[in-house]
Amino acid sequence: MMKAVIACSILRGRDPESVPHPKGESMTERGEREEGAQEKVSGDSSRDVARSSERVAIVLSAGYFGFFAHAGFMLAVEELGIDYCAIAGSSAGSIVAAMHASGVPAAEIVELLVSVRRKDLWDSTGIGGILQALAKRGRGWTGLLRGERFEERLNHRLRVNTFEQCRRSLYITALNLTGGIEETFYSGTIADKVRASCSYPFLMSSKAIDGNEYWDGGFLTKIPLETMTEREKPDRLIIHYLPMREEESDLRERRWSAVALLERALNISRKEIERHRLAALGEIRNRITWVEPTVPRVTPRTLSAGKDAADAAYLHAKAILSPPA
């Protein structure tokens, strides 16, 4: 049903200052912060280079199979020598954020992701599971994939198992359906939280953690901001933002269906929430660098396009974040 909603990975580059966005949300406490990070990053559209004493935080947005683009972006961040004190991720962004914060080099993340094949993640509930759920009026079936294979493979690739062991502070956002809140994790085990953040409605089954059911972290908004900025108090934010699919087309020329209308309504809601959250951020919103690449769309059936998406995001980030000559 939501297939149209999740296809939001054709991305577009824009002037960082022209984008009115925000996000992130809520809950639980974690240990000490890393100090004295050495940063070097472009600032706004004038591309001022940040002072080396500035604390930089990175946000990787939601975006279906956008983890390829995020991996390319992080490769550029590494090559430019941009260190960061904290990283937040939602949905596809949570995968790359978790791997990099745990100590996996960006080049290795790119290599791992482009080698992924559909069978590596595809633990389908099968027709039997769907038919059984239909007999129960849909109860018991929340996604085509179980998500267990994805979680196991991710856990195997992470350098550490918990948030507390990460080299930099890590923040992962998911939608807590039981509690009725958007929740940001920064303590405990990592793989299950990333699995929760990636549990896209009807694609991957919801994830149960401590008696609560979780869905995709990008369901309400795409960029997790508040919890990280409140706790870390960075001097500057760099947001790698993967625009929604509809931003790539002329809406006046679309032929509407019920699913397309639902997609449109959800996207409007997301943007409204993001606008309000950005406005509430305070002074830090004037020190955000927005990086929005144009990359090939990647889906479960076109994973071979992942390398091109990573390359395009890498080149775009190098162009945006490189200090002026």
Short mmCIF file of all heavy atoms in Angstrom, two decimals, residues 117-176:
data_model
loop_
_atom_site.label_atom_id
_atom_site.label_comp_id
_atom_site.label_asym_id
_atom_site.label_seq_id
_atom_site.Cartn_x
_atom_site.Cartn_y
_atom_site.Cartn_z
N ARG A 117 23.37 -7.89 -2.13
CA ARG A 117 22.41 -8.38 -3.11
C ARG A 117 21.07 -8.60 -2.43
O ARG A 117 21.00 -8.76 -1.22
CB ARG A 117 22.92 -9.69 -3.75
CG ARG A 117 24.20 -9.51 -4.55
CD ARG A 117 23.97 -8.59 -5.75
NE ARG A 117 25.22 -8.31 -6.47
CZ ARG A 117 25.92 -7.21 -6.33
NH1 ARG A 117 25.54 -6.29 -5.43
NH2 ARG A 117 27.02 -7.00 -7.03
N ARG A 118 20.03 -8.63 -3.22
CA ARG A 118 18.67 -8.73 -2.68
C ARG A 118 18.53 -9.91 -1.72
O ARG A 118 17.91 -9.80 -0.66
CB ARG A 118 17.69 -8.86 -3.85
CG ARG A 118 16.23 -8.61 -3.50
CD ARG A 118 15.44 -8.42 -4.79
NE ARG A 118 14.03 -8.19 -4.53
CZ ARG A 118 13.10 -9.14 -4.59
NH1 ARG A 118 13.46 -10.38 -4.90
NH2 ARG A 118 11.84 -8.86 -4.36
N LYS A 119 19.13 -11.04 -2.07
CA LYS A 119 19.00 -12.24 -1.24
C LYS A 119 19.66 -12.07 0.13
O LYS A 119 19.33 -12.79 1.08
CB LYS A 119 19.60 -13.44 -1.97
CG LYS A 119 21.10 -13.32 -2.23
CD LYS A 119 21.62 -14.52 -2.98
CE LYS A 119 23.12 -14.40 -3.29
NZ LYS A 119 23.93 -14.31 -2.08
N ASP A 120 20.60 -11.12 0.23
CA ASP A 120 21.29 -10.91 1.50
C ASP A 120 20.37 -10.34 2.58
O ASP A 120 20.65 -10.49 3.77
CB ASP A 120 22.48 -9.95 1.30
CG ASP A 120 23.53 -10.53 0.38
OD1 ASP A 120 23.65 -11.76 0.31
OD2 ASP A 120 24.24 -9.74 -0.29
N LEU A 121 19.32 -9.67 2.16
CA LEU A 121 18.41 -9.01 3.10
C LEU A 121 16.99 -9.56 3.06
O LEU A 121 16.19 -9.28 3.94
CB LEU A 121 18.36 -7.50 2.81
CG LEU A 121 19.69 -6.75 2.77
CD1 LEU A 121 19.45 -5.31 2.33
CD2 LEU A 121 20.36 -6.79 4.13
N TRP A 122 16.70 -10.34 2.03
CA TRP A 122 15.31 -10.69 1.72
C TRP A 122 14.85 -11.92 2.49
O TRP A 122 14.83 -13.03 1.98
CB TRP A 122 15.15 -10.91 0.22
CG TRP A 122 13.81 -10.44 -0.28
CD1 TRP A 122 12.74 -11.21 -0.61
CD2 TRP A 122 13.41 -9.09 -0.49
NE1 TRP A 122 11.68 -10.42 -1.01
CE2 TRP A 122 12.07 -9.11 -0.95
CE3 TRP A 122 14.05 -7.86 -0.33
CZ2 TRP A 122 11.36 -7.96 -1.25
CZ3 TRP A 122 13.35 -6.71 -0.63
CH2 TRP A 122 12.03 -6.76 -1.09
N ASP A 123 14.43 -11.74 3.76
CA ASP A 123 13.85 -12.83 4.54
C ASP A 123 12.34 -12.63 4.59
O ASP A 123 11.77 -12.28 5.62
CB ASP A 123 14.46 -12.91 5.94
CG ASP A 123 14.35 -11.61 6.72
OD1 ASP A 123 13.97 -10.58 6.12
OD2 ASP A 123 14.63 -11.61 7.93
N SER A 124 11.71 -12.86 3.46
CA SER A 124 10.29 -12.58 3.29
C SER A 124 9.41 -13.43 4.22
O SER A 124 9.72 -14.58 4.51
CB SER A 124 9.88 -12.83 1.84
OG SER A 124 8.48 -12.70 1.68
N THR A 125 8.32 -12.84 4.66
CA THR A 125 7.33 -13.59 5.44
C THR A 125 6.58 -14.56 4.55
O THR A 125 5.91 -15.47 5.05
CB THR A 125 6.33 -12.62 6.09
OG1 THR A 125 5.76 -11.78 5.09
CG2 THR A 125 7.01 -11.75 7.13
N GLY A 126 6.67 -14.36 3.22
CA GLY A 126 6.09 -15.29 2.28
C GLY A 126 4.59 -15.14 2.10
O GLY A 126 3.91 -14.46 2.87
N ILE A 127 4.08 -15.80 1.07
CA ILE A 127 2.64 -15.76 0.79
C ILE A 127 1.85 -16.35 1.95
O ILE A 127 0.78 -15.87 2.31
CB ILE A 127 2.33 -16.53 -0.51
CG1 ILE A 127 3.01 -15.86 -1.70
CG2 ILE A 127 0.82 -16.59 -0.73
CD1 ILE A 127 2.55 -14.45 -1.96
N GLY A 128 2.42 -17.41 2.54
CA GLY A 128 1.74 -18.04 3.66
C GLY A 128 1.50 -17.08 4.81
O GLY A 128 0.41 -17.06 5.40
N GLY A 129 2.51 -16.28 5.11
CA GLY A 129 2.36 -15.30 6.19
C GLY A 129 1.30 -14.26 5.87
O GLY A 129 0.53 -13.85 6.76
N ILE A 130 1.26 -13.83 4.62
CA ILE A 130 0.27 -12.83 4.21
C ILE A 130 -1.15 -13.41 4.28
O ILE A 130 -2.07 -12.78 4.80
CB ILE A 130 0.57 -12.32 2.79
CG1 ILE A 130 1.92 -11.60 2.77
CG2 ILE A 130 -0.53 -11.38 2.30
CD1 ILE A 130 2.37 -11.19 1.38
N LEU A 131 -1.30 -14.63 3.76
CA LEU A 131 -2.63 -15.28 3.77
C LEU A 131 -3.11 -15.53 5.20
O LEU A 131 -4.29 -15.35 5.52
CB LEU A 131 -2.57 -16.59 3.00
CG LEU A 131 -2.34 -16.47 1.48
CD1 LEU A 131 -2.22 -17.85 0.85
CD2 LEU A 131 -3.49 -15.69 0.84
N GLN A 132 -2.17 -15.93 6.06
CA GLN A 132 -2.52 -16.17 7.46
C GLN A 132 -2.98 -14.88 8.12
O GLN A 132 -3.93 -14.86 8.90
CB GLN A 132 -1.32 -16.75 8.20
CG GLN A 132 -1.63 -17.23 9.61
CD GLN A 132 -0.44 -17.89 10.26
OE1 GLN A 132 0.71 -17.50 10.01
NE2 GLN A 132 -0.67 -18.87 11.10
N ALA A 133 -2.28 -13.78 7.79
CA ALA A 133 -2.65 -12.48 8.36
C ALA A 133 -4.02 -12.03 7.84
O ALA A 133 -4.83 -11.46 8.59
CB ALA A 133 -1.60 -11.44 8.03
N LEU A 134 -4.28 -12.29 6.55
CA LEU A 134 -5.57 -11.91 5.97
C LEU A 134 -6.71 -12.64 6.67
O LEU A 134 -7.79 -12.08 6.89
CB LEU A 134 -5.58 -12.21 4.47
CG LEU A 134 -4.76 -11.28 3.58
CD1 LEU A 134 -4.75 -11.79 2.14
CD2 LEU A 134 -5.31 -9.86 3.65
N ALA A 135 -6.46 -13.89 7.01
CA ALA A 135 -7.49 -14.67 7.72
C ALA A 135 -7.77 -14.08 9.09
O ALA A 135 -8.85 -14.29 9.66
CB ALA A 135 -7.03 -16.12 7.85
N LYS A 136 -6.78 -13.33 9.62
CA LYS A 136 -6.96 -12.69 10.93
C LYS A 136 -7.23 -11.19 10.77
O LYS A 136 -6.94 -10.40 11.66
CB LYS A 136 -5.70 -12.89 11.77
CG LYS A 136 -5.38 -14.34 12.06
CD LYS A 136 -4.07 -14.45 12.85
CE LYS A 136 -3.72 -15.90 13.12
NZ LYS A 136 -2.43 -16.03 13.86
N ARG A 137 -7.74 -10.83 9.58
CA ARG A 137 -8.04 -9.42 9.27
C ARG A 137 -6.79 -8.55 9.36
O ARG A 137 -6.85 -7.40 9.81
CB ARG A 137 -9.14 -8.89 10.19
CG ARG A 137 -10.47 -9.61 10.03
CD ARG A 137 -11.53 -8.99 10.90
NE ARG A 137 -12.80 -9.71 10.74
CZ ARG A 137 -13.93 -9.37 11.36
NH1 ARG A 137 -13.92 -8.33 12.20
NH2 ARG A 137 -15.02 -10.05 11.17
N GLY A 138 -5.68 -9.09 8.93
CA GLY A 138 -4.43 -8.32 8.87
C GLY A 138 -3.60 -8.36 10.12
O GLY A 138 -2.44 -7.92 10.12
N ARG A 139 -4.14 -8.90 11.20
CA ARG A 139 -3.40 -8.91 12.46
C ARG A 139 -2.20 -9.86 12.39
O ARG A 139 -2.31 -10.97 11.89
CB ARG A 139 -4.32 -9.31 13.62
CG ARG A 139 -5.42 -8.29 13.89
CD ARG A 139 -6.28 -8.73 15.07
NE ARG A 139 -7.31 -7.74 15.35
CZ ARG A 139 -8.51 -7.72 14.79
NH1 ARG A 139 -8.81 -8.64 13.87
NH2 ARG A 139 -9.39 -6.80 15.10
N GLY A 140 -1.08 -9.41 12.93
CA GLY A 140 0.11 -10.25 12.98
C GLY A 140 1.06 -10.07 11.82
O GLY A 140 2.16 -10.61 11.84
N TRP A 141 0.65 -9.30 10.79
CA TRP A 141 1.52 -9.06 9.63
C TRP A 141 1.76 -7.56 9.51
O TRP A 141 0.82 -6.80 9.32
CB TRP A 141 0.87 -9.59 8.35
CG TRP A 141 1.76 -9.53 7.14
CD1 TRP A 141 2.61 -10.49 6.70
CD2 TRP A 141 1.88 -8.44 6.20
NE1 TRP A 141 3.26 -10.08 5.54
CE2 TRP A 141 2.82 -8.83 5.22
CE3 TRP A 141 1.28 -7.19 6.10
CZ2 TRP A 141 3.18 -8.01 4.15
CZ3 TRP A 141 1.63 -6.36 5.04
CH2 TRP A 141 2.58 -6.78 4.07
N THR A 142 3.03 -7.14 9.63
CA THR A 142 3.32 -5.71 9.54
C THR A 142 4.31 -5.36 8.45
O THR A 142 4.63 -4.20 8.26
CB THR A 142 3.87 -5.18 10.89
OG1 THR A 142 5.05 -5.91 11.23
CG2 THR A 142 2.84 -5.34 12.00
N GLY A 143 4.83 -6.38 7.74
CA GLY A 143 5.78 -6.08 6.68
C GLY A 143 6.13 -7.31 5.86
O GLY A 143 6.02 -8.45 6.34
N LEU A 144 6.55 -7.07 4.63
CA LEU A 144 6.93 -8.15 3.73
C LEU A 144 8.16 -8.90 4.23
O LEU A 144 8.28 -10.11 4.07
CB LEU A 144 7.20 -7.58 2.33
CG LEU A 144 7.65 -8.55 1.25
CD1 LEU A 144 6.57 -9.60 0.99
CD2 LEU A 144 7.98 -7.80 -0.04
N LEU A 145 9.10 -8.17 4.85
CA LEU A 145 10.34 -8.78 5.35
C LEU A 145 10.28 -8.91 6.87
O LEU A 145 9.74 -8.04 7.56
CB LEU A 145 11.54 -7.93 4.96
CG LEU A 145 11.72 -7.62 3.48
CD1 LEU A 145 12.98 -6.79 3.27
CD2 LEU A 145 11.78 -8.90 2.66
N ARG A 146 10.89 -9.97 7.37
CA ARG A 146 10.96 -10.14 8.83
C ARG A 146 11.96 -9.15 9.43
O ARG A 146 11.78 -8.69 10.55
CB ARG A 146 11.39 -11.56 9.16
CG ARG A 146 10.36 -12.62 8.78
CD ARG A 146 10.83 -14.01 9.23
NE ARG A 146 9.83 -15.02 8.90
CZ ARG A 146 9.78 -15.66 7.74
NH1 ARG A 146 10.69 -15.39 6.80
NH2 ARG A 146 8.86 -16.57 7.52
N GLY A 147 13.05 -8.88 8.71
CA GLY A 147 14.06 -7.95 9.20
C GLY A 147 15.15 -8.59 10.04
O GLY A 147 16.13 -7.94 10.42
N GLU A 148 15.01 -9.89 10.34
CA GLU A 148 15.99 -10.56 11.19
C GLU A 148 17.34 -10.71 10.49
O GLU A 148 18.40 -10.54 11.12
CB GLU A 148 15.45 -11.94 11.59
CG GLU A 148 14.20 -11.86 12.44
CD GLU A 148 13.50 -13.20 12.58
OE1 GLU A 148 14.04 -14.20 12.03
OE2 GLU A 148 12.44 -13.25 13.23
N ARG A 149 17.31 -11.03 9.20
CA ARG A 149 18.56 -11.19 8.45
C ARG A 149 19.31 -9.87 8.37
O ARG A 149 20.53 -9.82 8.52
CB ARG A 149 18.26 -11.73 7.05
CG ARG A 149 19.50 -12.08 6.26
CD ARG A 149 19.13 -12.69 4.92
NE ARG A 149 18.36 -13.92 5.08
CZ ARG A 149 17.84 -14.60 4.07
NH1 ARG A 149 17.99 -14.17 2.82
NH2 ARG A 149 17.16 -15.71 4.29
N PHE A 150 18.58 -8.79 8.14
CA PHE A 150 19.18 -7.45 8.09
C PHE A 150 19.86 -7.13 9.41
O PHE A 150 21.01 -6.67 9.44
CB PHE A 150 18.10 -6.41 7.77
CG PHE A 150 18.49 -5.01 8.07
CD1 PHE A 150 19.33 -4.29 7.22
CD2 PHE A 150 18.03 -4.36 9.22
CE1 PHE A 150 19.70 -2.98 7.50
CE2 PHE A 150 18.39 -3.06 9.51
CZ PHE A 150 19.23 -2.37 8.64
N GLU A 151 19.16 -7.36 10.52
CA GLU A 151 19.72 -7.04 11.83
C GLU A 151 20.96 -7.88 12.14
O GLU A 151 21.95 -7.37 12.68
CB GLU A 151 18.65 -7.27 12.90
CG GLU A 151 19.08 -6.84 14.29
CD GLU A 151 17.96 -6.95 15.31
OE1 GLU A 151 16.77 -6.95 14.92
OE2 GLU A 151 18.28 -7.07 16.51
N GLU A 152 20.93 -9.17 11.79
CA GLU A 152 22.07 -10.05 12.04
C GLU A 152 23.30 -9.60 11.25
O GLU A 152 24.41 -9.56 11.78
CB GLU A 152 21.71 -11.49 11.66
CG GLU A 152 20.72 -12.14 12.61
CD GLU A 152 20.21 -13.47 12.08
OE1 GLU A 152 20.66 -13.89 10.98
OE2 GLU A 152 19.36 -14.08 12.75
N ARG A 153 23.09 -9.27 9.98
CA ARG A 153 24.21 -8.85 9.14
C ARG A 153 24.80 -7.52 9.61
O ARG A 153 26.01 -7.32 9.59
CB ARG A 153 23.78 -8.78 7.68
CG ARG A 153 23.57 -10.16 7.06
CD ARG A 153 23.12 -10.08 5.62
NE ARG A 153 22.97 -11.42 5.05
CZ ARG A 153 23.92 -12.09 4.44
NH1 ARG A 153 25.12 -11.54 4.31
NH2 ARG A 153 23.70 -13.30 3.95
N LEU A 154 23.94 -6.61 10.00
CA LEU A 154 24.42 -5.32 10.50
C LEU A 154 25.23 -5.52 11.78
O LEU A 154 26.33 -4.95 11.92
CB LEU A 154 23.24 -4.39 10.77
CG LEU A 154 23.61 -3.05 11.41
CD1 LEU A 154 24.48 -2.21 10.47
CD2 LEU A 154 22.36 -2.27 11.82
N ASN A 155 24.71 -6.32 12.69
CA ASN A 155 25.40 -6.56 13.95
C ASN A 155 26.78 -7.17 13.71
O ASN A 155 27.75 -6.85 14.42
CB ASN A 155 24.56 -7.48 14.83
CG ASN A 155 25.05 -7.51 16.27
OD1 ASN A 155 25.26 -6.48 16.89
ND2 ASN A 155 25.24 -8.71 16.80
N HIS A 156 26.89 -8.01 12.70
CA HIS A 156 28.17 -8.64 12.36
C HIS A 156 29.17 -7.61 11.83
O HIS A 156 30.38 -7.75 12.05
CB HIS A 156 27.93 -9.73 11.32
CG HIS A 156 29.18 -10.38 10.84
ND1 HIS A 156 29.97 -11.21 11.63
CD2 HIS A 156 29.80 -10.34 9.62
CE1 HIS A 156 31.00 -11.62 10.94
NE2 HIS A 156 30.93 -11.12 9.72
N ARG A 157 28.68 -6.58 11.14
CA ARG A 157 29.57 -5.60 10.52
C ARG A 157 29.98 -4.47 11.45
O ARG A 157 31.00 -3.81 11.23
CB ARG A 157 28.89 -5.00 9.29
CG ARG A 157 28.65 -6.01 8.16
CD ARG A 157 29.95 -6.56 7.64
NE ARG A 157 29.77 -7.46 6.50
CZ ARG A 157 30.75 -8.07 5.87
NH1 ARG A 157 31.99 -7.89 6.28
NH2 ARG A 157 30.51 -8.86 4.85
N LEU A 158 29.20 -4.20 12.48
CA LEU A 158 29.53 -3.13 13.42
C LEU A 158 30.83 -3.46 14.16
O LEU A 158 31.09 -4.61 14.50
CB LEU A 158 28.40 -2.92 14.43
CG LEU A 158 27.07 -2.39 13.89
CD1 LEU A 158 26.01 -2.44 14.99
CD2 LEU A 158 27.22 -0.97 13.36
N ARG A 159 31.64 -2.45 14.44
CA ARG A 159 32.89 -2.66 15.17
C ARG A 159 32.64 -2.82 16.68
O ARG A 159 33.45 -3.42 17.39
CB ARG A 159 33.84 -1.49 14.94
CG ARG A 159 34.38 -1.38 13.53
CD ARG A 159 35.42 -2.47 13.25
NE ARG A 159 36.22 -2.15 12.07
CZ ARG A 159 35.90 -2.51 10.83
NH1 ARG A 159 34.79 -3.21 10.61
NH2 ARG A 159 36.67 -2.18 9.81
N VAL A 160 31.55 -2.23 17.16
CA VAL A 160 31.18 -2.35 18.57
C VAL A 160 29.69 -2.66 18.65
O VAL A 160 28.96 -2.48 17.68
CB VAL A 160 31.51 -1.06 19.36
CG1 VAL A 160 32.99 -0.74 19.32
CG2 VAL A 160 30.71 0.14 18.82
N ASN A 161 29.23 -3.09 19.82
CA ASN A 161 27.84 -3.51 19.97
C ASN A 161 26.93 -2.46 20.58
O ASN A 161 25.71 -2.51 20.39
CB ASN A 161 27.75 -4.79 20.82
CG ASN A 161 28.42 -5.97 20.16
OD1 ASN A 161 28.32 -6.15 18.95
ND2 ASN A 161 29.13 -6.78 20.95
N THR A 162 27.50 -1.53 21.33
CA THR A 162 26.66 -0.57 22.05
C THR A 162 27.00 0.87 21.70
O THR A 162 28.10 1.17 21.22
CB THR A 162 26.82 -0.73 23.58
OG1 THR A 162 28.14 -0.33 23.97
CG2 THR A 162 26.57 -2.18 24.00
N PHE A 163 26.05 1.76 21.98
CA PHE A 163 26.25 3.19 21.75
C PHE A 163 27.41 3.69 22.58
O PHE A 163 28.21 4.51 22.13
CB PHE A 163 24.98 3.96 22.15
CG PHE A 163 23.82 3.83 21.20
CD1 PHE A 163 23.05 2.68 21.17
CD2 PHE A 163 23.50 4.86 20.33
CE1 PHE A 163 21.97 2.56 20.31
CE2 PHE A 163 22.43 4.75 19.46
CZ PHE A 163 21.66 3.59 19.45
N GLU A 164 27.51 3.21 23.82
CA GLU A 164 28.53 3.69 24.73
C GLU A 164 29.95 3.37 24.25
O GLU A 164 30.90 4.06 24.63
CB GLU A 164 28.32 3.08 26.13
CG GLU A 164 27.10 3.58 26.86
CD GLU A 164 25.81 2.87 26.45
OE1 GLU A 164 25.85 2.02 25.53
OE2 GLU A 164 24.76 3.19 27.03
N GLN A 165 30.10 2.36 23.43
CA GLN A 165 31.42 1.96 22.94
C GLN A 165 31.84 2.71 21.68
O GLN A 165 32.99 2.58 21.24
CB GLN A 165 31.42 0.46 22.64
CG GLN A 165 31.25 -0.43 23.87
CD GLN A 165 31.05 -1.89 23.48
OE1 GLN A 165 30.28 -2.21 22.59
NE2 GLN A 165 31.77 -2.78 24.16
N CYS A 166 30.94 3.48 21.08
CA CYS A 166 31.23 4.17 19.83
C CYS A 166 32.30 5.24 20.00
O CYS A 166 32.41 5.86 21.07
CB CYS A 166 29.97 4.80 19.24
SG CYS A 166 28.82 3.60 18.55
N ARG A 167 33.06 5.48 18.95
CA ARG A 167 34.10 6.51 18.98
C ARG A 167 33.51 7.91 19.08
O ARG A 167 34.12 8.80 19.66
CB ARG A 167 34.95 6.40 17.72
CG ARG A 167 35.70 5.09 17.59
CD ARG A 167 36.53 5.06 16.32
NE ARG A 167 37.28 3.82 16.19
CZ ARG A 167 38.15 3.59 15.21
NH1 ARG A 167 38.36 4.52 14.28
NH2 ARG A 167 38.78 2.44 15.15
N ARG A 168 32.38 8.10 18.43
CA ARG A 168 31.66 9.37 18.54
C ARG A 168 30.24 9.09 19.02
O ARG A 168 29.75 7.98 18.91
CB ARG A 168 31.57 10.09 17.19
CG ARG A 168 32.89 10.69 16.73
CD ARG A 168 33.41 9.98 15.58
NE ARG A 168 34.44 10.73 14.87
CZ ARG A 168 35.11 10.22 13.85
NH1 ARG A 168 34.86 9.00 13.41
NH2 ARG A 168 36.04 10.95 13.23
N SER A 169 29.59 10.12 19.55
CA SER A 169 28.23 9.96 20.03
C SER A 169 27.31 9.62 18.86
O SER A 169 27.37 10.25 17.80
CB SER A 169 27.75 11.26 20.70
OG SER A 169 28.58 11.58 21.79
N LEU A 170 26.45 8.64 19.07
CA LEU A 170 25.55 8.15 18.04
C LEU A 170 24.10 8.31 18.50
O LEU A 170 23.77 7.98 19.64
CB LEU A 170 25.86 6.68 17.75
CG LEU A 170 24.89 5.93 16.83
CD1 LEU A 170 24.90 6.52 15.42
CD2 LEU A 170 25.23 4.44 16.79
N TYR A 171 23.24 8.77 17.58
CA TYR A 171 21.82 8.96 17.86
C TYR A 171 20.99 8.32 16.74
O TYR A 171 21.20 8.63 15.56
CB TYR A 171 21.48 10.45 17.97
CG TYR A 171 22.14 11.12 19.16
CD1 TYR A 171 23.47 11.55 19.07
CD2 TYR A 171 21.47 11.28 20.36
CE1 TYR A 171 24.10 12.14 20.16
CE2 TYR A 171 22.09 11.88 21.45
CZ TYR A 171 23.40 12.31 21.34
OH TYR A 171 24.02 12.89 22.42
N ILE A 172 20.07 7.43 17.12
CA ILE A 172 19.23 6.73 16.16
C ILE A 172 17.76 6.97 16.51
O ILE A 172 17.35 6.77 17.66
CB ILE A 172 19.50 5.21 16.18
CG1 ILE A 172 20.96 4.91 15.84
CG2 ILE A 172 18.54 4.49 15.22
CD1 ILE A 172 21.39 5.34 14.46
N THR A 173 16.98 7.39 15.53
CA THR A 173 15.57 7.75 15.77
C THR A 173 14.64 6.70 15.18
O THR A 173 14.85 6.22 14.07
CB THR A 173 15.25 9.12 15.16
OG1 THR A 173 16.06 10.10 15.82
CG2 THR A 173 13.79 9.48 15.36
N ALA A 174 13.59 6.36 15.93
CA ALA A 174 12.54 5.46 15.45
C ALA A 174 11.20 5.94 16.01
O ALA A 174 11.16 6.68 16.99
CB ALA A 174 12.81 4.02 15.88
N LEU A 175 10.13 5.51 15.37
CA LEU A 175 8.78 5.90 15.81
C LEU A 175 8.23 4.84 16.76
O LEU A 175 8.01 3.69 16.37
CB LEU A 175 7.86 6.04 14.60
CG LEU A 175 6.42 6.50 14.88
CD1 LEU A 175 6.41 7.89 15.50
CD2 LEU A 175 5.60 6.48 13.60
N ASN A 176 8.03 5.23 18.02
CA ASN A 176 7.50 4.33 19.04
C ASN A 176 5.98 4.32 18.92
O ASN A 176 5.30 5.24 19.39
CB ASN A 176 7.95 4.79 20.42
CG ASN A 176 7.53 3.86 21.54
OD1 ASN A 176 6.54 3.15 21.43
ND2 ASN A 176 8.29 3.86 22.62
#
